[in-house]
Amino acid sequence: MSTAETVATADRRAWMGLLARAEPARLAALLGADLPEHVLLRAPEIGAVMVRGRVGGAGDAFNLGEMTVTRCSLRLASGVVGHAYVQGRDRDHARQAALVDALMQTGRSTEIEARVLAPLAAEETARRSARAARAAATKVEFFTMVRGED
Amino acid sequence: MDSAALQGGFADPPVESARAFRAVLDAMARPGTIRRVTGAAPPAPLSVAAGVLLLVLTDRTTPVWLAPSHDHADVRDWIAFQTGAPIAAPGGAAFALGDWAGLRPPGRFPTGTPDYPDRSVTLIVEQTVLRAEGARLTGPGIAGAAALNLPETAAFAENRARFPLGFDCYFTAGERLAALPRSTRVEAG
Amino acid sequence: MYVAVKGGERAIDNAHAWLAEERRGDPAVPALGLDQIAGQLALAVNRVMAEGSLFDRGLAALAIKQARGDLIEAIFLIRAYRTTLPRFGASVPVDTAGMACIRRISATFKDAPGGQVLGPTFDYTHRLLDFALAAEGAVPEAPQAEPQPGPVPHVTGFLGRDGMIEPAEFTGAEPRDLTREPLSLPADRALRLQALARGDEGFVLGLAYSTQRGYGRTHAFVGELRIGTVGVEIEIPELGFAVEIGEVELTECETVNQFKGSRTEPPQFTRGYGLTFGQTERKAIAMSLVDRALRWRELGEDDTGAPAQDEEFVLSHCDNIQATGFLEHIKLPHYVDFQSELELVRKLRAEAEQARAARKAAE
C-alpha cells in the first residue's frame, strides 16, 4: 500500500468510526432530509458481532459477549460505494452512515466534512472530556500523615 | 473489493431466501427432482443455482472450498461480501463448489464421524445441463425410481455404501438444481 | 395407561393478560420509559447485558421492563433474542490498556501511574438509606478537574518488568465459542473466561468468596480494577481493513496472587482475570478469583477438592439460564411421569405388605 493509500485508509477508518459512534438522531439532523439518490447493495441489516477480549488484557483472545450492529452498503448514482457498520439496531443510522461514507469519497467531501463530521467530532470530544473531567475530580491525592522513621 | 462483488445478492432477502430455502430443502427431500431457483446474479462461472445455494446455505460458520474451475477473485469476493463464508482447504470444508473433475476425489473432504455424521461436506457440482435421465436413483424420498444425469455412478455408489458417513450433493446448471443425499442408492441407468 | 390431554389455552391467555396488567401496575402512576430504566437503573441494565451476553442498553432496558424487574427473566429474554441475530463476525480483541477509564484503582500500588481514580462508586458511602431520594429533587453537578493526559498502563505491567509476575500467555489460538458449540471439557482458559463472563453473578460471587474462606485459597489482591469504554473494531472483508463499529463499557479486574513456585517456575505472582460488560465490578472481581482458582492444574498446585477448583462443577452450573430452565421445568405438568411413580410406590407398598403378612404367618 502506498503512503497516499495509507493516509486515505486512515482517514476513512476515522470517519467510519466517528459515524458508528454518533448518536443516530444527531447524524440524521446534521445530514438533513435531502439525501442523494442511491441504490442499496445490502439493505440495512441488524446483526451481532462477537466482542473479544484478551486473557489478562494482553494474552490470547477469548469471546466476551456480543454487541448489536447494523450494517448497510449502497451505491450513489455516480457509482461510488459507501459501507457502514454501526453499533445498535437503527437501520436509518446505518444507511445515513453509509451515505456519508460514500459522499466523503466524492467532490462533496469538504462540505460533508464541515457540515456533518466536524460537529460530530467536536460533540464527541466534549462528551468524552466531560466524563474525563469528572473522573479526574475523583482522583485520590495522598497526604503523608506520619512517616515511621527511627 | 470490486463493486461487482457487491451486486447479485437477493433484492428482497427475507422473501427470496425463504422461497429459495424451501426449494433447496425440497430438492434434498426428493432426490433427483429438478427445481428452478432464481434471485441470485453471481459472477461467472457461478450458475444462478449455485449462487442461490451459497446465499441460503453458507455464512461465516461454513467454510467453502472452491475447485480450480471456480477459484477466481471475483467469486471469492462475491462469497465474502454476500455470505461471509471463509474460503477453506478441502479437509476443513463444509461446502465444496466446482465442476466434477475439480471436486474429485471426494474422499479429501470431511465425511463426518460415527458420532457426528453431519460434520461432513456438501458438494455443489456445477454441470452444463441437468436432465432426468441417466443414473437410476432409489431410496428414501423417491417413489419407485428417479433418474438424473450424474457425472459418474461409481463415486456415488461408494458414498452410499459408507452410510451414515459420506457427503451430500447438489447438482446445478443455470437456474436448475437437483440433490443427491448420501442415503440414495445409485446404479448405472 | 397413557392418556394424551390438552387444554388450558384460555387459562394461559388470561394469565398472560393479567401478567400484562400487573406489569403495568397502577395506571395512575406514569409508566417507566426505557430511557429511565437505562439511565436510572443502569447497573441492572449492565448485569442483564453482561449475563445476557449482548451489549445493547436499549434491549436490556426493554427486557427488564418486560420481566417486571426479574433480572434472570430479563437475561433469558436477551439470550433468546440474540439467537435470532446473524453473526457478522468477531471483533479484533479490545485493547483494555487504551480504555477511557472512569474508574481505576489498585489495591497493590498506591502510586501507580495514572493514579487512583475512584469514579462513580458506592465504596466509602455509609450505606444509609437516603430518604431525600424518595422525594424528587435536582442533583448538583459533579465536580470536575483537569484530566491529566497520558496513558494509564496496566499495573501488572510493572511487576512483569521485573519478572515478578507470570507473563500473559499468547499463542494466537482462535478461541472456542460456547454459543456455537456445546461445552466440552477440559476447557481452556479462554473458554472458561467466556463461561464466567456470562455466568450468574451470585453463583460466581459465592464461589469466589469460598476461595477467600479457604476452599481453594488463592491469596488474591486486586492488582487493578478499571471501568471505562473501549472502541470495538472488526475486519470488514469488503474494505480489506478494520474499522471501529462502536464502543462498549467494560469492567476489568486483574488479581495478583501469591505463588510459591513449582518445579519449573520460580516463586512469583500469578494472575486471575475478569472482564465483563458494563460497570459490573463485583462480578469482574469474583470472575478473576474463580479464574485463578481454576488454574490450579497448569500451575502445578494441589487439587484440594474445593468447588471453585472443579472446572466441570463451575462451568456446568454457572449459567443461570441453564440452571433456571432445568430448575423451573419441574413445576410444569409431569402428570404421566408422576402417575408411573405413584404406581411404582403402590406396588412396592403392596409387596412390603405381603412380605410382612407372610412373616407374621410364619411366626
Side-chain angles (χ1 to χ4, degrees):
Chain A
M1 203 182 276
S2 72
T3 315
E5 267 180 296
T6 313
V7 171
T9 299
D11 287 351
R12 193 168 179 198
R13 289 184 61 193
W15 78 57
M16 288 184 78
L18 181 64
L19 291 164
R21 296 186 303 268
E23 281 288 319
R26 187 62 185 140
L27 172 59
L30 289 170
L31 193 54
D34 187 22
L35 302 178
E37 269 188 47
H38 58 273
V39 181
L40 289 175
L41 300 171
R42 175 150 60 204
E45 179 187 15
I46 297 171
V49 162
M50 176 55 85
V51 180
R52 286 183 173 165
R54 287 196 183 285
V55 179
D60 278 331
F62 71 97
N63 291 306
L64 173 64
E66 290 164 305
M67 64 189 275
T68 50
V69 178
T70 305
R71 66 180 178 181
C72 176
S73 297
L74 50 76
R75 191 178 56 219
L76 300 179
S78 63
V80 175
V81 172
H83 297 289
Y85 279 73
V86 303
Q87 182 166 17
R89 290 163 287 117
D90 191 318
R91 290 186 172 87
D92 289 339
H93 183 192
R95 181 192 285 243
Q96 284 156 0
L99 266 177
V100 173
D101 179 49
L103 288 170
M104 282 301 292
Q105 303 168 63
T106 68
R108 290 183 61 190
S109 64
T110 314
E111 173 223 330
I112 294 291
E113 165 90 51
R115 183 157 64 88
V116 181
L117 297 181
L120 286 178
E123 287 159 21
E124 181 178 78
T125 303
R127 271 200 309 276
R128 288 176 169 176
S129 303
R131 284 180 81 72
R134 281 171 175 76
T138 68
K139 186 167 167 180
V140 178
E141 307 290 346
F142 288 103
F143 300 99
T144 305
M145 308 290 283
V146 178
R147 192 175 289 276
E149 287 173 72
D150 292 326
Chain B
M1 191 176 279
D2 199 274
S3 79
L6 312 180
Q7 298 168 43
F10 289 131
D12 184 5
V15 172
E16 286 180 288
S17 60
R19 279 200 189 124
F21 186 74
R22 184 78 228 176
V24 166
L25 201 64
D26 284 345
M28 192 58 88
R30 305 255 175 269
T33 58
I34 296 171
R35 272 153 226 277
R36 191 170 157 266
V37 288
T38 56
L46 275 175
S47 67
V48 171
V52 166
L53 282 167
L54 289 169
L55 290 179
V56 300
L57 295 182
T58 67
D59 65 15
R60 61 181 297 282
T61 66
T62 56
V64 174
W65 182 77
L66 296 173
S69 60
H70 285 67
D71 192 5
H72 304 312
D74 288 358
V75 173
R76 284 174 172 244
D77 285 353
W78 192 81
I79 292 173
F81 180 77
Q82 302 293 347
T83 78
I87 301 298
F95 289 88
L97 168 68
D99 58 16
W100 180 245
L103 290 169
R104 292 190 68 216
R108 58 185 154 159
F109 302 111
T111 52
T113 63
D115 284 350
Y116 297 97
D118 55 303
R119 293 179 183 173
S120 53
V121 76
T122 298
L123 305 180
I124 301 173
V125 187
E126 292 261 52
Q127 304 200 155
T128 47
V129 288
L130 266 186
R131 279 193 304 264
E133 60 184 48
R136 184 172 186 272
L137 314 181
T138 53
I142 303 171
L148 193 65
N149 61 324
L150 299 181
E152 67 168 85
T153 52
F156 304 103
E158 276 169 35
N159 188 42
R160 172 66 185 84
R162 303 178 59 195
F163 188 88
L165 303 188
F167 55 86
D168 306 298
C169 296
Y170 282 100
F171 298 93
T172 51
E175 293 183 341
R176 287 144 62 84
L177 62 81
L180 184 74
R182 66 191 76 178
S183 56
T184 301
R185 279 183 295 278
V186 179
E187 298 155 294
Chain C
M1 181 177 57
Y2 176 75
V3 183
V5 292
K6 61 177 284 185
E9 264 183 60
R10 189 182 48 83
I12 290 169
D13 287 345
N14 293 349
H16 290 172
W18 193 16
L19 169 67
E21 199 178 279
E22 289 287 316
R23 175 189 297 126
R24 175 59 183 87
D26 182 354
V29 177
L32 272 176
L34 299 190
D35 50 349
Q36 290 173 309
I37 296 172
Q40 298 172 46
L41 297 176
L43 299 194
V45 166
N46 287 346
R47 181 170 175 194
V48 171
M49 293 197 298
E51 294 170 37
S53 212
L54 184 68
F55 194 97
D56 186 315
R57 289 196 171 90
L59 283 178
L62 173 62
I64 291 169
K65 180 173 180 173
Q66 187 177 334
R68 305 177 67 194
D70 178 339
L71 296 190
I72 291 184
E73 179 71 19
I75 291 161
F76 199 161
L77 294 169
I78 293 298
R79 291 274 187 91
Y81 176 84
R82 68 149 285 281
T83 63
T84 67
L85 296 173
R87 173 83 63 85
F88 294 158
S91 81
V92 175
V94 293
D95 177 22
T96 53
M99 182 184 282
C101 296
I102 58 164
R103 172 164 167 81
R104 189 274 196 146
I105 53 172
S106 170
T108 53
F109 291 102
K110 177 169 73 72
D111 297 317
Q116 308 273 347
V117 177
L118 301 182
T121 179
F122 293 125
D123 295 352
Y124 314 110
T125 64
H126 296 108
R127 266 69 185 221
L128 298 174
L129 276 175
D130 179 1
F131 290 96
L133 283 175
E136 305 272 331
V139 178
E141 203 170 282
Q144 301 190 22
E146 189 62 35
Q148 281 169 6
V152 184
H154 278 121
V155 165
T156 45
F158 309 126
L159 286 168
R161 248 178 270 158
D162 307 331
M164 288 291 287
I165 193 164
E166 57 164 343
E169 196 185 11
F170 182 79
T171 63
E174 183 73 4
R176 286 152 75 187
D177 185 352
L178 268 181
T179 67
R180 295 284 150 156
E181 45 186 306
L183 176 68
S184 62
L185 300 173
D188 55 20
R189 195 169 173 203
L191 196 67
R192 295 197 301 249
L193 287 173
Q194 183 185 13
L196 290 172
R198 52 198 266 127
D200 183 73
E201 179 176 313
F203 183 82
V204 180
L205 169 65
L207 281 171
Y209 180 45
S210 74
T211 69
Q212 292 184 294
R213 291 195 62 252
Y215 294 87
R217 192 186 294 281
T218 63
H219 307 276
F221 293 97
V222 171
E224 179 167 359
L225 177 73
R226 56 169 68 192
I227 303 175
T229 49
V230 296
V232 180
E233 285 192 355
I234 175 175
E235 293 280 347
I236 309 287
E238 51 270 29
L239 292 175
F241 52 84
V243 298
E244 194 168 314
I245 56 172
E247 283 178 332
V248 292
E249 186 181 43
L250 299 176
T251 302
E252 182 186 50
C253 176
E254 192 152 32
T255 58
V256 174
N257 304 64
Q258 196 191 93
F259 179 57
K260 293 195 291 280
S262 66
R263 246 170 289 165
T264 53
E265 299 295 328
Q268 60 181 349
F269 291 102
T270 54
R271 306 159 183 253
Y273 190 66
L275 187 68
T276 47
F277 279 150
Q279 185 176 346
T280 42
E281 71 181 51
R282 183 186 302 117
K283 170 69 179 290
I285 299 169
M287 177 176 168
S288 60
L289 262 63
V290 177
D291 168 53
R292 177 59 185 78
L294 287 169
R295 297 182 59 211
W296 63 271
R297 197 189 301 269
E298 63 175 286
L299 293 171
E301 295 173 332
D302 293 333
D303 178 8
T304 63
Q309 289 182 312
D310 185 336
E311 174 178 277
E312 202 269 333
F313 180 83
V314 175
L315 299 191
S316 303
H317 301 118
C318 67
D319 191 290
N320 52 27
I321 301 310
Q322 281 175 13
T324 204
F326 201 68
L327 180 97
E328 294 199 53
H329 100 280
I330 63 171
K331 73 193 171 185
L332 301 175
H334 282 67
Y335 307 138
V336 176
D337 304 50
F338 187 69
Q339 187 69 37
S340 71
E341 297 265 322
L342 203 59
E343 278 166 24
L344 178 66
V345 173
R346 279 191 183 126
K347 194 169 154 232
L348 291 172
R349 281 171 68 98
E351 283 168 9
E353 189 58 39
Q354 273 174 11
R356 197 163 41 233
R359 268 202 310 276
K360 225 174 207 169
E363 278 165 13

CSV table of all heavy atoms in Angstrom, one decimal, chain A residues 76-104:
chain,number,residue,atom,x,y,z
A,76,LEU,N,-24.0,5.3,-4.8
A,76,LEU,CA,-24.5,6.6,-5.3
A,76,LEU,C,-24.7,6.5,-6.9
A,76,LEU,O,-24.1,5.6,-7.5
A,76,LEU,CB,-23.6,7.8,-5.0
A,76,LEU,CG,-23.2,8.0,-3.6
A,76,LEU,CD1,-22.3,9.2,-3.4
A,76,LEU,CD2,-24.5,8.3,-2.8
A,77,ALA,N,-25.5,7.4,-7.4
A,77,ALA,CA,-25.7,7.4,-8.9
A,77,ALA,C,-24.4,7.5,-9.6
A,77,ALA,O,-24.2,7.0,-10.7
A,77,ALA,CB,-26.6,8.6,-9.2
A,78,SER,N,-23.4,8.2,-9.0
A,78,SER,CA,-22.1,8.3,-9.7
A,78,SER,C,-21.3,7.0,-9.7
A,78,SER,O,-20.2,6.9,-10.3
A,78,SER,CB,-21.3,9.4,-8.9
A,78,SER,OG,-21.0,9.0,-7.6
A,79,GLY,N,-21.8,6.0,-8.9
A,79,GLY,CA,-21.1,4.7,-8.9
A,79,GLY,C,-20.2,4.5,-7.6
A,79,GLY,O,-19.7,3.4,-7.3
A,80,VAL,N,-20.1,5.6,-6.8
A,80,VAL,CA,-19.3,5.5,-5.6
A,80,VAL,C,-20.0,4.7,-4.6
A,80,VAL,O,-21.2,4.8,-4.4
A,80,VAL,CB,-19.0,6.9,-5.0
A,80,VAL,CG1,-18.2,6.8,-3.7
A,80,VAL,CG2,-18.1,7.7,-6.0
A,81,VAL,N,-19.3,3.7,-3.9
A,81,VAL,CA,-19.9,2.8,-3.0
A,81,VAL,C,-19.6,3.2,-1.5
A,81,VAL,O,-18.4,3.6,-1.2
A,81,VAL,CB,-19.4,1.4,-3.2
A,81,VAL,CG1,-19.9,0.4,-2.1
A,81,VAL,CG2,-19.9,0.9,-4.6
A,82,GLY,N,-20.6,3.2,-0.7
A,82,GLY,CA,-20.4,3.5,0.8
A,82,GLY,C,-20.8,2.3,1.6
A,82,GLY,O,-21.7,1.6,1.3
A,83,HIS,N,-20.0,2.1,2.7
A,83,HIS,CA,-20.3,1.0,3.6
A,83,HIS,C,-20.5,1.6,5.0
A,83,HIS,O,-19.9,2.6,5.4
A,83,HIS,CB,-19.1,0.0,3.7
A,83,HIS,CG,-18.9,-0.7,2.4
A,83,HIS,ND1,-19.7,-1.6,1.8
A,83,HIS,CD2,-17.8,-0.6,1.5
A,83,HIS,CE1,-19.2,-2.1,0.7
A,83,HIS,NE2,-18.0,-1.5,0.5
A,84,ALA,N,-21.3,0.9,5.8
A,84,ALA,CA,-21.4,1.2,7.2
A,84,ALA,C,-21.6,0.0,8.1
A,84,ALA,O,-22.3,-0.9,7.7
A,84,ALA,CB,-22.5,2.2,7.4
A,85,TYR,N,-20.9,0.0,9.2
A,85,TYR,CA,-21.2,-1.0,10.3
A,85,TYR,C,-21.3,-0.1,11.6
A,85,TYR,O,-20.3,0.5,12.0
A,85,TYR,CB,-20.0,-1.9,10.5
A,85,TYR,CG,-20.0,-3.1,9.5
A,85,TYR,CD1,-19.6,-2.9,8.2
A,85,TYR,CD2,-20.3,-4.4,10.0
A,85,TYR,CE1,-19.6,-4.0,7.3
A,85,TYR,CE2,-20.3,-5.5,9.1
A,85,TYR,CZ,-19.9,-5.3,7.8
A,85,TYR,OH,-19.9,-6.3,6.9
A,86,VAL,N,-22.5,0.0,12.1
A,86,VAL,CA,-22.7,0.9,13.2
A,86,VAL,C,-23.4,0.2,14.4
A,86,VAL,O,-24.2,-0.7,14.2
A,86,VAL,CB,-23.6,2.1,12.8
A,86,VAL,CG1,-23.0,2.9,11.7
A,86,VAL,CG2,-25.0,1.7,12.5
A,87,GLN,N,-22.9,0.5,15.6
A,87,GLN,CA,-23.4,-0.1,16.8
A,87,GLN,C,-24.9,0.1,16.9
A,87,GLN,O,-25.4,1.2,16.6
A,87,GLN,CB,-22.7,0.5,18.0
A,87,GLN,CG,-23.1,-0.1,19.3
A,87,GLN,CD,-22.1,0.3,20.4
A,87,GLN,OE1,-21.4,1.3,20.3
A,87,GLN,NE2,-22.2,-0.4,21.5
A,88,GLY,N,-25.7,-0.8,17.4
A,88,GLY,CA,-27.1,-0.7,17.7
A,88,GLY,C,-28.0,-1.3,16.6
A,88,GLY,O,-27.5,-2.0,15.8
A,89,ARG,N,-29.3,-0.9,16.7
A,89,ARG,CA,-30.3,-1.5,15.8
A,89,ARG,C,-31.0,-0.5,15.0
A,89,ARG,O,-32.2,-0.7,14.7
A,89,ARG,CB,-31.2,-2.3,16.7
A,89,ARG,CG,-30.7,-3.6,17.3
A,89,ARG,CD,-31.5,-4.0,18.5
A,89,ARG,NE,-31.4,-3.1,19.6
A,89,ARG,CZ,-32.4,-2.4,20.1
A,89,ARG,NH1,-33.6,-2.5,19.6
A,89,ARG,NH2,-32.2,-1.6,21.1
A,90,ASP,N,-30.4,0.6,14.7
A,90,ASP,CA,-31.0,1.7,13.9
A,90,ASP,C,-30.7,1.6,12.5
A,90,ASP,O,-29.6,1.9,12.0
A,90,ASP,CB,-30.6,3.0,14.5
A,90,ASP,CG,-31.5,4.2,14.0
A,90,ASP,OD1,-31.8,4.2,12.8
A,90,ASP,OD2,-31.8,5.0,14.9
A,91,ARG,N,-31.7,1.2,11.6
A,91,ARG,CA,-31.4,1.0,10.2
A,91,ARG,C,-31.1,2.3,9.5
A,91,ARG,O,-30.2,2.4,8.6
A,91,ARG,CB,-32.6,0.3,9.5
A,91,ARG,CG,-32.8,-1.1,9.9
A,91,ARG,CD,-34.0,-1.7,9.1
A,91,ARG,NE,-34.0,-3.2,9.3
A,91,ARG,CZ,-34.7,-3.7,10.3
A,91,ARG,NH1,-35.4,-3.0,11.2
A,91,ARG,NH2,-34.8,-5.0,10.5
A,92,ASP,N,-31.8,3.4,9.9
A,92,ASP,CA,-31.5,4.7,9.3
A,92,ASP,C,-30.1,5.1,9.6
A,92,ASP,O,-29.5,5.7,8.8
A,92,ASP,CB,-32.5,5.7,9.8
A,92,ASP,CG,-33.9,5.5,9.3
A,92,ASP,OD1,-34.0,4.8,8.2
A,92,ASP,OD2,-34.9,5.9,9.9
A,93,HIS,N,-29.7,4.8,10.8
A,93,HIS,CA,-28.3,5.2,11.2
A,93,HIS,C,-27.3,4.6,10.3
A,93,HIS,O,-26.4,5.2,9.7
A,93,HIS,CB,-28.1,4.7,12.7
A,93,HIS,CG,-26.7,5.1,13.2
A,93,HIS,ND1,-26.2,4.6,14.4
A,93,HIS,CD2,-25.7,5.9,12.8
A,93,HIS,CE1,-25.0,5.1,14.6
A,93,HIS,NE2,-24.7,5.9,13.6
A,94,ALA,N,-27.5,3.3,10.0
A,94,ALA,CA,-26.6,2.5,9.1
A,94,ALA,C,-26.6,3.1,7.7
A,94,ALA,O,-25.6,3.3,7.0
A,94,ALA,CB,-26.9,1.1,9.1
A,95,ARG,N,-27.8,3.4,7.2
A,95,ARG,CA,-28.0,3.9,5.8
A,95,ARG,C,-27.3,5.3,5.7
A,95,ARG,O,-26.6,5.6,4.8
A,95,ARG,CB,-29.5,4.0,5.5
A,95,ARG,CG,-29.7,4.5,4.1
A,95,ARG,CD,-31.1,4.8,3.8
A,95,ARG,NE,-32.0,3.7,3.7
A,95,ARG,CZ,-32.6,3.4,2.5
A,95,ARG,NH1,-32.5,4.2,1.5
A,95,ARG,NH2,-33.4,2.3,2.5
A,96,GLN,N,-27.6,6.2,6.7
A,96,GLN,CA,-27.0,7.5,6.7
A,96,GLN,C,-25.5,7.5,6.8
A,96,GLN,O,-24.8,8.2,6.2
A,96,GLN,CB,-27.6,8.4,7.8
A,96,GLN,CG,-29.1,8.8,7.4
A,96,GLN,CD,-29.9,9.1,8.6
A,96,GLN,OE1,-29.5,9.0,9.7
A,96,GLN,NE2,-31.2,9.5,8.3
A,97,ALA,N,-25.0,6.6,7.7
A,97,ALA,CA,-23.5,6.4,7.8
A,97,ALA,C,-22.9,6.0,6.5
A,97,ALA,O,-21.8,6.4,6.1
A,97,ALA,CB,-23.2,5.5,8.9
A,98,ALA,N,-23.6,5.0,5.8
A,98,ALA,CA,-23.1,4.6,4.5
A,98,ALA,C,-23.1,5.7,3.5
A,98,ALA,O,-22.2,5.8,2.6
A,98,ALA,CB,-23.9,3.3,4.0
A,99,LEU,N,-24.2,6.5,3.5
A,99,LEU,CA,-24.3,7.6,2.6
A,99,LEU,C,-23.1,8.6,2.8
A,99,LEU,O,-22.5,9.1,1.9
A,99,LEU,CB,-25.6,8.4,2.8
A,99,LEU,CG,-26.8,8.0,1.9
A,99,LEU,CD1,-28.0,8.7,2.4
A,99,LEU,CD2,-26.4,8.2,0.5
A,100,VAL,N,-22.8,8.9,4.1
A,100,VAL,CA,-21.7,9.8,4.4
A,100,VAL,C,-20.4,9.2,3.9
A,100,VAL,O,-19.6,9.9,3.4
A,100,VAL,CB,-21.7,10.2,5.9
A,100,VAL,CG1,-20.5,11.0,6.2
A,100,VAL,CG2,-23.0,11.0,6.2
A,101,ASP,N,-20.3,7.9,4.2
A,101,ASP,CA,-19.0,7.3,3.7
A,101,ASP,C,-18.9,7.4,2.2
A,101,ASP,O,-17.8,7.7,1.7
A,101,ASP,CB,-19.1,5.8,4.1
A,101,ASP,CG,-17.8,5.0,3.7
A,101,ASP,OD1,-16.7,5.5,3.9
A,101,ASP,OD2,-18.0,3.9,3.1
A,102,ALA,N,-19.9,7.2,1.5
A,102,ALA,CA,-19.9,7.4,0.0
A,102,ALA,C,-19.6,8.8,-0.4
A,102,ALA,O,-18.7,9.1,-1.2
A,102,ALA,CB,-21.2,6.9,-0.6
A,103,LEU,N,-20.3,9.8,0.2
A,103,LEU,CA,-20.1,11.2,-0.1
A,103,LEU,C,-18.7,11.7,0.2
A,103,LEU,O,-18.2,12.5,-0.5
A,103,LEU,CB,-21.2,12.0,0.6
A,103,LEU,CG,-22.6,11.9,0.1
A,103,LEU,CD1,-23.6,12.6,1.1
A,103,LEU,CD2,-22.8,12.5,-1.3
A,104,MET,N,-18.1,11.1,1.2
A,104,MET,CA,-16.8,11.6,1.6
A,104,MET,C,-15.7,11.1,0.5
A,104,MET,O,-14.6,11.6,0.6
A,104,MET,CB,-16.4,11.0,3.0
A,104,MET,CG,-17.0,11.7,4.1
A,104,MET,SD,-16.5,13.5,4.2
A,104,MET,CE,-14.8,13.4,4.5
